[in-house]
Amino acid sequence: MISYLSIALPLPVQKVFTYRYEHDVHPSCLIGCRALVPFGKRIVTGVIVESSQPVQGMKDIIEVIDDKPFFTESMLRFTKRMSDYYLCSWGEALKAGIPRGMTPQSVMHVELLTRVEQNELNIMKKRAPKRAALLEILMNHSGPLTEVYLEKMLKTGTVSDQLDALENAGVIKTTRNLEQGSKPRLHSIVYVHPDILKDEQKLREVLHGLDEKYPKQASVFSHVYLCQKRTGNGIALSKLKEELQLQSQSPINTLAANGIILIQKEEFIPESEVIKDSLAKRDESLLNMTLEQKHAHAMIHEALHEQHAKTFLLHGITGSGKTLVYIQAIRSALALDKDCLLLVPEISLTPQLVDRFFATFGDQIAVLHSKMTNQERYEHWRKIRNGNARIVIGARSALFAPFRDGRLGLIIVDEEHESSYKQEAPAPRYNARDFAVVRGNIEHIVTVLGSATPSMESMFNAQHGKYHYLHISSRADGATLPELQLIDIREHRKAGTLHGSFSEEMLQAIIQRVIKKEGIILFHNRRGFARFQECPDCGHIPMCKNCSVSLTLHKHSGMLRCHYCGYAERSMHSCSVCGGTDINEPGIGTQKVEEELQELLKSRGLKVVIERMDLDTMSKKGEHRRILTAFSKKEIDIMIGTQMVAKGLDFPHVSMVGIIDADHQLFMPDFRSSERTFQLLTQVAGRAGRSGHLQGKVLLQTSHPEHQSILATMTGSYELFYNDELQSRKDALYPPYSRIVTIECSGPDEYAVHESAAVIAQLLPTKGQPFFILGPSIPFIAKLKSQYRRVIVLKGNKNEDPSGEILRTVLKKAMHIYAVQHAKKSVKVTIDIDAYGLV
Ligand SMILES: [Zn+2]
Ligand SMILES: [Zn+2]
């Protein structure tokens, strides 16, 4: 049978393409499968999305990769909605749902058929130097080479024209092979033979018989038996050997040969073996809830039973036990035989939270996040797809988790206000929080957005009845909110009671707690040692070669680093412009805070263990978990960190949080800077005093005690902050009153970038539209990773254009004209709907 099929390709082109396919299955079985197709001179992997009609000049599908649809019907609808909303192609949205390492790569191999004579080669060198160079590489190697390798050797970009010419001349032969991505890896798992397990009489006989004659076999058998009894699962062969320190496998083999144990090849290692050093050890679903927690759970429970789409905003202050409500909600969903998805901002930074779910739900959980290897991610993906995982915990991209159709019953988005839910690049530039609600609506299920400091958008939606509001206003376990104390750093500076970054008050508070062995967390949101280096004689500041930002000093490594592109150079001992040797190092980073504090405490005769937690110290895998474990065992006295310490840390012995510089983000040129400051400070403050027996204290150093974000943090009043901020957003027409869309032009040629931005701005109509156009303007970071930037900002009025449909239509039309008439190859244009930042 011949079918005509629409295929979505991962290209920035807003359309699908028709291909022909000869096959013997029903065409509906092909929808959602991935297929390899020719596109121009390339071979690309696309997704079959619809049946179609024949069109002129269409090509054949090379191969359908999947034997079962990769995307379910509801995921096809979901990704289509995403592409419509964010103005990307359907193929790009679908690609976001295919984990890295799971796309088969089509690889071209090039083989030399005949050697070319030297004089012929010399002539070719003059006429077609690239072709000749290619031929020389092939002749200097034995055996076929890949196209990618040839391109790398020649360093001149694509070689497909040269290969075509040589193939036509009969000199070479090219073949395409498909190199598969990850494959399932099988593990040997050992079980007690089921016949023996269910027959107690037999079991006793076996144990007795082995004990007398074969002590090694007996110890293997009892180990497997006990493990299975404890976990309900088998034990991995490798682990069994390791735990019993077996030199040889023969006792295991003999037991297997005698039908006493069973060794099975399985895809998954029982999860209960995977987690070591768990930071949580009890099943929390049996804990008592407060009245407010019970109420929140009851509302979610009821909605789960109704089986309609419904979105809740769960606003619970820090330490109020939102996690316990999530756990109970998941239990309710599982009882209805539904699967659950839990999104967290950055999973590798929140091992405590994840461990709590594992302690309760065990190996029903699959995990998806960016720090996994391709193989690990693939295995967890398969576990979900095969129905072996009932709960998925993951970061942003887990929004695409491949639950089977109709299985998903509950989506929870923890810390819904976090900016890491927004994907900045590549397309689709989606917000996983917002599209969790969309997925919930498409699947007719319950979505819960949880936060101690809800985003302006979500609270606005709750106030206007779009979301159902649930509030937990007191802490669980009888704990109370910490006492907050403001320290006006300006007064200390005047009085001379400032020791580097530490006021005398802050220092005394630290010393008291060090002596009492209570935990201390210090927050400073800038890593490195100093913000930059500066020569006071000539004013020279070392800047990044690729970005228009100053380089941050990392004193321990003696380097200046760009925090945007990673560029690094040696720090200055003397000025590289005028030779001056008196170099300033203004602006304090976590390294300097740590160094100052060590000195200050040493001079007062105190010896303490301080650990730093920021991107620089956390690059090693497992380091984060190691530090948290050590901190929980009180092996570390003081933890200093960037916003990493604001996220999800829950240590009952922490009685003090010190905020070194609360003003860090206040005056960023961004309409969200007040909101971010309030959220961050409140979250950090919430790490203190989380158990009933220890009163927490938060000391906050600022030079702007009158700022609304600082005031709201000090009063602990979300309402105060929300109402103030809402008014200023309304006055300036910012979200939630408007929809912010940015059009960014970028490229290596500043003039071309400038010109393209001007053209696009002119193509957009200005009169009688429900939006304003700002710019084009030069953004705060004018050059990033060697690309010059210009930005146009559109502010869509949500009153006049609630869905943004008018704005999108106008924008699509303008971009189409730009693409057809004005587009330059060197200029990249990206559109960001609901852009998060304007920096
Ligand atoms: Zn100088
Ligand atoms: Zn840079």
Side-chain angles (χ1 to χ4, degrees):
M1 161 167 42
I2 290 170
S3 287
Y4 304 98
L5 300 162
S6 291
I7 296 194
L9 299 176
L11 307 167
V13 193
Q14 291 257 23
K15 58 187 259 195
V16 292
F17 299 86
T18 302
Y19 287 86
R20 190 179 158 277
Y21 189 51
E22 227 182 301
H23 58 92
D24 46 17
V25 295
H26 194 271
S28 67
C29 299
L30 295 167
I31 309 291
C33 290
R34 295 173 301 162
L36 279 184
V37 294
F39 188 80
K41 286 189 171 171
R42 290 188 292 155
I43 291 180
V44 286
T45 308
V47 177
I48 302 169
V49 289
E50 287 157 345
S51 290
S52 176
Q53 297 301 318
V55 294
Q56 269 224 318
M58 75 190 147
K59 294 177 182 164
D60 282 355
I61 287 177
I62 297 170
E63 188 184 346
V64 172
I65 302 165
D66 304 306
D67 44 7
K68 273 190 291 191
F70 192 93
F71 289 100
T72 59
E73 195 251 313
S74 65
M75 278 314 275
L76 287 176
R77 275 201 293 155
F78 175 69
T79 46
K80 179 75 173 74
R81 184 85 67 86
M82 187 174 264
S83 80
D84 290 342
Y85 187 86
Y86 290 109
L87 297 182
C88 65
S89 74
W90 196 353
E92 287 174 313
L94 285 161
K95 193 181 175 204
I98 305 174
R100 238 185 311 133
M102 277 188 71
T103 311
Q105 302 286 325
S106 154
V107 180
M108 185 191 270
H109 294 270
V110 183
E111 196 181 340
L112 192 67
L113 295 178
T114 56
R115 295 189 78 81
V116 177
E117 294 296 323
Q118 191 58 45
N119 56 348
E120 209 177 315
L121 196 65
N122 288 342
I123 297 168
M124 196 193 286
K125 267 183 185 164
K126 281 180 200 137
R127 282 212 328 258
K130 201 169 165 185
R131 207 181 300 167
L134 217 153
L135 211 48
E136 272 188 314
I137 298 174
L138 281 166
M139 295 204 313
N140 289 333
H141 282 78
S142 58
L145 297 174
T146 66
E147 183 186 14
V148 178
Y149 178 79
L150 290 168
E151 283 177 352
K152 245 188 215 154
M153 295 294 288
L154 281 176
K155 295 188 186 118
T156 52
T158 171
V159 294
S160 53
D161 288 345
Q162 284 70 32
L163 291 178
D164 279 355
L166 288 170
E167 188 162 28
N168 288 338
V171 183
I172 60 164
K173 190 178 93 179
T174 65
T175 41
R176 279 202 175 272
N177 286 342
L178 200 59
E179 301 202 341
Q180 278 292 344
S182 306
K183 290 184 188 69
R185 185 171 54 180
L186 296 178
H187 308 275
S188 300
I189 311 292
V190 186
Y191 294 90
V192 176
H193 199 285
D195 289 349
I196 293 179
L197 201 60
K198 64 183 181 217
D199 187 341
E200 228 169 277
Q201 177 69 26
K202 220 172 186 175
L203 186 71
R204 234 173 289 146
E205 278 172 32
V206 168
L207 262 173
H208 194 68
L210 289 175
D211 251 353
E212 289 196 331
K213 286 184 218 150
Y214 311 104
K216 272 196 181 152
Q217 288 183 38
S219 86
V220 168
F221 180 76
S222 59
H223 201 80
V224 175
Y225 176 72
L226 288 175
C227 172
Q228 203 165 333
K229 221 177 148 191
R230 198 179 63 238
T231 65
N233 252 313
I235 177 169
L237 181 62
S238 54
K239 196 183 173 206
L240 179 63
K241 278 157 69 178
E242 185 193 311
E243 288 186 351
L244 293 178
Q245 297 185 334
L246 291 181
Q247 307 297 329
S248 124
Q249 204 178 297
S250 69
I252 301 176
N253 293 348
T254 313
L255 285 170
N258 293 336
I260 296 171
I261 60 170
L262 197 66
I263 303 175
Q264 291 198 92
K265 291 275 183 198
E266 289 178 15
E267 243 182 76
F268 308 108
I269 294 187
E271 201 69 61
S272 39
E273 295 182 16
V274 176
I275 288 281
K276 284 179 189 159
D277 291 334
S278 174
L279 290 157
K281 290 203 170 62
R282 54 184 178 168
D283 177 347
E284 291 185 49
S285 60
L286 306 169
L287 291 181
N288 284 330
M289 293 195 283
T290 62
L291 275 179
E292 284 178 324
Q293 283 174 318
K294 275 185 190 155
H295 172 73
H297 170 242
M299 298 298 286
I300 298 168
H301 180 84
E302 197 182 305
L304 285 167
H305 276 265
E306 283 167 7
Q307 314 212 347
H308 303 305
K310 197 168 193 176
T311 304
F312 291 96
L313 174 62
L314 175 60
H315 176 198
I317 61 165
T318 57
S320 65
K322 288 183 292 296
T323 308
L324 187 54
V325 176
Y326 301 159
I327 286 174
Q328 294 296 1
I330 289 173
R331 274 182 31 125
S332 295
L334 293 180
L336 289 167
D337 201 24
K338 288 288 184 184
D339 295 347
C340 305
L341 171 62
L342 170 66
L343 297 181
V344 295
E346 277 170 79
I347 196 163
S348 57
L349 294 183
T350 46
Q352 276 191 304
L353 179 82
V354 177
D355 285 5
R356 289 171 69 182
F357 284 91
F358 270 103
T360 303
F361 297 108
D363 58 7
Q364 300 182 73
I365 297 175
V367 174
L368 291 173
H369 63 86
S370 61
K371 289 261 167 72
M372 301 170 102
T373 63
N374 287 349
Q375 183 67 34
E376 287 170 336
R377 194 175 305 112
Y378 175 68
E379 283 170 4
H380 281 261
W381 193 93
R382 298 257 310 175
K383 194 171 163 183
I384 304 163
R385 167 47 56 87
N386 295 342
N388 289 320
R390 306 287 315 277
I391 303 160
V392 176
I393 303 179
R396 181 174 68 223
S397 62
L399 178 61
F400 297 89
F403 294 99
R404 291 164 302 160
D405 251 342
R407 296 293 314 175
L408 188 57
L410 172 67
I411 304 177
I412 298 169
V413 184
D414 189 30
E415 309 289 358
E416 63 85 30
H417 63 277
E418 279 285 338
S419 59
S420 56
Y421 284 123
K422 168 78 178 165
Q423 165 137 321
E424 298 293 344
R429 295 173 175 79
Y430 64 99
N431 186 318
R433 185 252 335 259
D434 298 341
F435 264 68
V437 176
V438 171
R439 186 164 182 185
N441 287 337
I442 286 178
E443 310 222 16
H444 306 291
I445 61 170
V446 175
T447 308
V448 178
L449 312 179
S451 175
T453 50
S455 62
M456 296 299 294
E457 286 88 342
S458 294
M459 185 50 97
F460 192 76
N461 282 336
Q463 286 201 328
H464 288 78
K466 255 179 100 174
Y467 300 164
H468 299 262
Y469 183 67
L470 300 170
H471 194 204
I472 310 181
S473 60
S474 56
R475 283 193 154 179
D477 298 339
T480 48
L481 276 173
E483 180 195 325
L484 281 91
Q485 184 186 339
L486 186 138
I487 299 173
D488 189 338
I489 214 82
R490 296 170 306 182
E491 286 170 10
H492 281 273
R493 199 172 285 128
K494 270 186 232 148
T497 46
L498 203 57
H499 318 280
S501 340
F502 290 87
S503 60
E504 181 63 29
E505 278 162 286
M506 178 80 84
L507 191 60
Q508 285 307 326
I510 292 171
I511 290 170
Q512 276 174 26
R513 282 168 183 82
V514 164
I515 292 168
K516 284 195 280 182
K517 272 281 173 196
E518 291 174 6
I520 300 167
I521 293 177
L522 297 180
F523 168 70
H524 187 66
N525 208 12
R526 181 184 293 125
R527 65 194 169 97
F529 187 83
R531 195 148 67 89
F532 51 89
Q533 282 192 316
E534 181 186 32
C535 167
D537 298 335
C538 73
H540 172 62
I541 296 174
M543 303 286 287
C544 177
K545 285 202 162 37
N546 312 316
C547 315
S548 55
V549 295
S550 57
L551 294 169
T552 305
L553 176 63
H554 287 246
K555 202 161 193 168
H556 299 229
S557 54
M559 298 302 275
L560 288 163
R561 290 183 198 283
C562 174
H563 286 182
Y564 289 89
C565 73
Y567 169 80
E569 62 183 43
R570 298 222 65 83
S571 59
M572 301 196 292
H573 292 293
S574 56
C575 176
S576 52
V577 175
C578 74
T581 51
D582 181 27
I583 303 292
N584 282 346
E585 291 168 356
I588 289 150
T590 44
Q591 286 184 359
K592 199 178 202 168
V593 172
E594 181 187 359
E595 201 177 285
E596 281 179 2
L597 188 60
Q598 281 286 13
E599 286 296 313
L600 285 167
L601 293 177
K602 209 166 121 193
S603 71
R604 282 164 169 77
L606 287 168
K607 230 177 133 322
V608 292
V609 181
I610 303 178
E611 280 271 9
R612 198 149 48 79
M613 194 186 245
D614 55 32
L615 268 184
D616 300 318
T617 58
M618 290 301 120
S619 49
K620 230 171 74 194
K621 201 178 171 181
E623 188 63 4
H624 194 260
R625 183 175 279 274
R626 183 192 71 75
I627 291 194
L628 292 186
T629 308
F631 191 55
S632 73
K633 290 181 184 161
K634 302 192 186 181
E635 292 162 9
I636 296 168
D637 302 293
I638 301 171
M639 196 147 71
I640 298 177
T642 55
Q643 51 184 315
M644 279 186 188
V645 299
K647 284 175 190 167
L649 299 191
D650 193 356
F651 295 106
H653 77 292
V654 172
S655 69
M656 172 187 167
V657 165
I659 297 166
I660 306 296
D661 175 14
D663 310 338
H664 175 63
Q665 221 174 12
L666 272 186
F667 299 102
M668 289 287 274
D670 191 303
F671 70 92
R672 284 188 213 270
S673 62
S674 292
E675 183 183 3
R676 280 187 187 146
T677 301
F678 171 73
Q679 285 165 345
L680 197 54
L681 296 182
T682 305
Q683 297 279 348
V684 177
R687 302 307 113 205
R690 293 173 76 93
S691 70
H693 65 277
L694 212 55
Q695 172 64 40
K697 181 147 189 175
V698 178
L699 290 103
L700 179 150
Q701 298 187 151
T702 176
S703 299
H704 300 277
E706 72 297 335
H707 192 284
Q708 57 139 330
S709 302
I710 305 282
L711 284 176
T713 307
M714 292 309 299
T715 55
S717 169
Y718 177 85
E719 266 77 40
L720 180 69
F721 168 77
Y722 175 77
N723 290 329
D724 268 10
E725 180 67 14
L726 196 65
Q727 190 57 48
S728 48
R729 297 276 181 97
K730 192 174 183 181
D731 295 343
L733 195 62
Y734 273 118
Y737 292 97
S738 68
R739 170 173 279 107
I740 299 286
V741 175
T742 60
I743 308 168
E744 182 183 323
C745 297
S746 61
D749 175 357
E750 185 167 18
Y751 183 71
V753 169
H754 179 84
E755 214 176 39
S756 291
V759 168
I760 292 171
Q762 268 170 16
L763 288 172
L764 293 164
T766 48
K767 286 217 176 85
Q769 298 293 338
F771 57 81
F772 298 104
I773 304 172
L774 308 171
S777 59
I778 303 176
F780 184 64
I781 298 169
K783 192 174 114 186
L784 193 62
K785 301 179 184 174
S786 300
Q787 308 291 304
Y788 291 93
R789 306 166 70 213
R790 291 292 184 275
V791 174
I792 301 166
V793 177
L794 304 183
K795 269 188 190 179
N797 191 325
K798 275 199 178 171
N799 263 335
E800 295 168 33
D801 182 16
S803 66
E805 205 44 54
I806 302 174
L807 195 158
R808 271 195 290 276
T809 307
V810 168
L811 194 53
K812 260 197 269 187
K813 206 169 135 196
M815 291 317 296
H816 179 72
I817 300 174
Y818 171 79
V820 174
Q821 297 177 11
H822 307 278
K824 288 192 185 71
K825 255 197 168 161
S826 72
V827 178
K828 189 176 165 203
V829 181
T830 50
I831 295 177
D832 190 349
I833 307 279
D834 297 336
Y836 212 75
L838 300 177
V839 187

